[in-house]
Amino acid sequence: MTMMMKTARTSLVFCMTATSSLRPVGAFVVLRTPHNYNYGSSKLAIRLASTSTSTSASTAPDRRLFPEQVNVIYDSKCSVCKLEIDWLSRRDQRINNCSPKLKMTDLESDNYNPSDPANGNVSYREGLAAIHAVTNDGKVLKGVEVFALAYQQVGLGWLFAITKWPVFEPLVQVMYEIFAKYRTNVTRGSSLESLVQAYEEKKSLEQQKKSAQDCDTCKTNA
């Protein structure tokens, strides 16, 4: 009889024991405590533990590379690309208000730095050969999946849902690869190789000028 009464007093979440300890039972956490236990102290301890856990979680460092969800690396000298990027940016501002989800990085900017983690080590050549994007946790995307993710951020992911269908995915990939192969010829009037060569020559001259300036500074200070 005594055992039955004790069993009846046991709830689904809390059970009584003399050790005042927490232990898991199936999907529940069971608290065992003696009959004369101070429940006020127990509740306070549980609240303090919960507060401590919440504080630790809230003070965890933000490891995102940038505030937005996706960094799209695009070619601003490609009229078709620029048109689409500008449209996505405007929609992003309108749909997501003051918290845009898209970060746009111009491959042709003088400040573009492939070594920046936010740019995913995407070189000038790679960026011209195909559109790239980097998520704020560092994942690098390329080609059609960039458009799919970018459009998803502005509420239009359904437009690219078909590109994931087994029947259409290979076809879409082939079509994009053909477009990417001849894109610079069509939209910029130059081949990929000639654009890369001009870019590398420009960077080389910039480096030479910088080295000369540094040398002049050293002589002046000496």
Side-chain angles (χ1 to χ4, degrees):
M1 183 66 177
T2 302
M3 289 300 296
M4 291 178 63
M5 291 177 65
K6 288 183 178 179
T7 302
R9 286 198 300 268
T10 304
S11 69
L12 289 175
V13 180
F14 297 101
C15 294
M16 308 317 254
T17 131
T19 58
S20 301
S21 61
L22 288 165
R23 69 181 184 84
V25 176
F28 302 96
V29 174
V30 179
L31 174 66
R32 293 189 175 276
T33 179
H35 299 302
N36 60 351
Y37 189 76
N38 187 333
Y39 293 100
S41 299
S42 176
K43 292 177 180 178
L44 176 61
I46 292 172
R47 279 200 301 271
L48 288 174
S50 176
T51 303
S52 176
T53 302
S54 300
T55 303
S56 299
S58 63
T59 58
D62 188 348
R63 300 185 182 280
R64 295 184 300 175
L65 295 174
F66 41 83
E68 299 84 0
Q69 296 296 316
V70 186
N71 178 24
V72 180
I73 302 171
Y74 72 101
D75 176 8
S76 64
K77 293 185 179 180
C78 165
S79 56
V80 176
C81 308
K82 185 71 164 55
L83 188 66
E84 185 168 20
I85 290 298
D86 288 346
W87 181 82
L88 281 170
S89 295
R90 289 194 299 271
R91 182 173 175 85
D92 185 29
Q93 291 290 338
R94 186 171 71 253
I95 297 297
N96 299 314
N97 299 320
C98 298
S99 299
K101 294 185 177 182
L102 296 176
K103 171 181 169 66
M104 304 301 190
T105 298
D106 182 6
L107 188 69
E108 289 289 354
S109 171
D110 291 335
N111 298 322
Y112 179 73
N113 180 12
S115 301
D116 185 343
N119 295 330
N121 292 315
V122 177
S123 68
Y124 182 78
R125 176 185 289 276
E126 291 171 329
L128 281 185
I131 191 168
H132 284 69
V134 184
T135 60
N136 60 13
D137 61 356
K139 181 181 179 182
V140 179
L141 307 175
K142 173 184 174 182
V144 177
E145 58 183 351
V146 172
F147 296 103
L149 183 58
Y151 274 72
Q152 181 182 353
Q153 304 307 311
V154 295
L156 296 173
W158 55 272
L159 288 173
F160 281 84
I162 192 174
T163 64
K164 296 298 181 183
W165 294 5
V167 176
F168 293 104
E169 186 173 9
L171 178 61
V172 172
Q173 290 294 338
V174 170
M175 291 175 62
Y176 177 77
E177 288 172 6
I178 294 173
F179 165 76
K181 182 177 181 179
Y182 298 103
R183 179 188 67 82
T184 59
N185 298 77
V186 175
T187 64
R188 297 187 56 169
S190 299
S191 67
L192 172 65
E193 292 301 327
S194 62
L195 289 173
V196 171
Q197 182 179 354
Y199 173 83
E200 291 176 347
E201 290 174 354
K202 174 186 174 184
K203 289 298 179 182
S204 178
L205 286 173
E206 290 176 353
Q207 185 60 41
Q208 290 176 17
K209 289 180 180 179
K210 184 177 183 303
S211 298
Q213 291 173 352
D214 291 343
C215 185
D216 291 340
T217 303
C218 291
K219 290 179 180 179
T220 301
N221 293 335

